[in-house]
Amino acid sequence: MRIISGKHRGRVLASFQGAEIRPTSDRVKESLFSILSARIAGARVLDLFCGSGALGLECLSRGAKEVIFNDLSRESLALLKKNLALLKEQAIVQNYDFETCLKRAEGKFDIIFIDPPYAQQYCERALTLIYERQLLEEGGLVVYESERVAEVSPRGMVLQDERSYGRTKLFFFGREEV
């Protein structure tokens, strides 16, 4: 696992051993950040199921103003902190379940990553909380990664795009404009 672009380009990150944790592949990350590239500089980002932190760290490398990392797993957060230290980056690191994180979040975000374990389906609940708490900036995006088709239609959010990369599917949601 490595940083693709920005000031930390090419840096190899510490990653999980074994097959239990599924980091976003470099191929998917390259495609995702090609789509997001114009939105990252100066952005406020929430990495809701951060794991090793690869997505949020990529944003920091590309000039995001602030990244908040959240994960329920202490093992994931220990690995994230190791990667933050490796890159000499500062960030807010939280240890909450996704609902608590969204309920406690302050301010609005330009990008929110939702990349839960594939066996879990948190998309609709997370999008509903994001809408209810008005956590997404106007023109902001929620990026949901899954291996299943996102058959959700939460109030106030619209599916703007979706992409498939083998088993991995990326769904891009934005605020419904009235």
Side-chain angles (χ1 to χ4, degrees), residues 142-159:
V142 176
V143 180
Y144 179 74
E145 182 175 332
S146 181
E147 68 178 0
R148 298 187 181 135
V149 173
E151 294 181 14
V152 297
S153 55
R155 180 175 56 114
M157 302 293 280
V158 292
L159 180 63

Side-chain angles (χ1 to χ4, degrees), residues 3 19 33 46 77 126 142 178:
I3 299 290
F33 283 99
L46 173 61
L77 295 180
V142 176
V178 196

Side-chain angles (χ1 to χ4, degrees), residues 11-129:
R11 296 290 300 268
V12 176
L13 300 172
S15 58
F16 293 100
Q17 302 302 312
E20 299 164 15
I21 305 292
R22 171 210 39 82
T24 302
S25 73
D26 280 353
R27 178 177 157 242
V28 173
K29 269 188 1 191
E30 285 177 16
S31 297
L32 170 62
F33 283 99
S34 176
I35 294 165
L36 296 178
S37 63
R39 298 172 177 265
I40 296 172
R44 186 162 188 254
V45 178
L46 173 61
D47 194 347
L48 195 55
F49 296 85
C50 69
S52 66
L55 298 178
L57 292 168
E58 187 73 38
C59 288
L60 285 172
S61 180
R62 293 170 182 242
K65 174 177 66 178
E66 178 183 42
V67 177
I68 297 174
F69 293 92
N70 181 75
D71 206 292
L72 189 56
S73 163
R74 292 188 190 277
E75 180 185 3
S76 291
L77 295 180
L79 187 57
L80 166 65
K81 288 175 182 175
K82 184 176 180 180
N83 283 326
L84 283 167
L86 177 75
L87 299 176
K88 295 180 175 65
E89 289 283 358
Q90 299 292 315
I92 297 169
V93 177
Q94 301 177 154
N95 182 216
Y96 300 124
D97 64 80
F98 81 98
E99 289 186 67
T100 301
C101 177
L102 292 172
K103 288 176 182 176
R104 292 177 143 213
E106 295 179 5
K108 294 180 184 272
F109 297 93
D110 300 291
I111 302 169
I112 300 174
F113 293 111
I114 304 174
D115 184 12
Y118 276 179
Q120 306 299 319
Q121 292 296 303
Y122 298 126
C123 186
E124 186 141 18
R125 180 66 184 140
L127 289 171
T128 298
L129 283 168

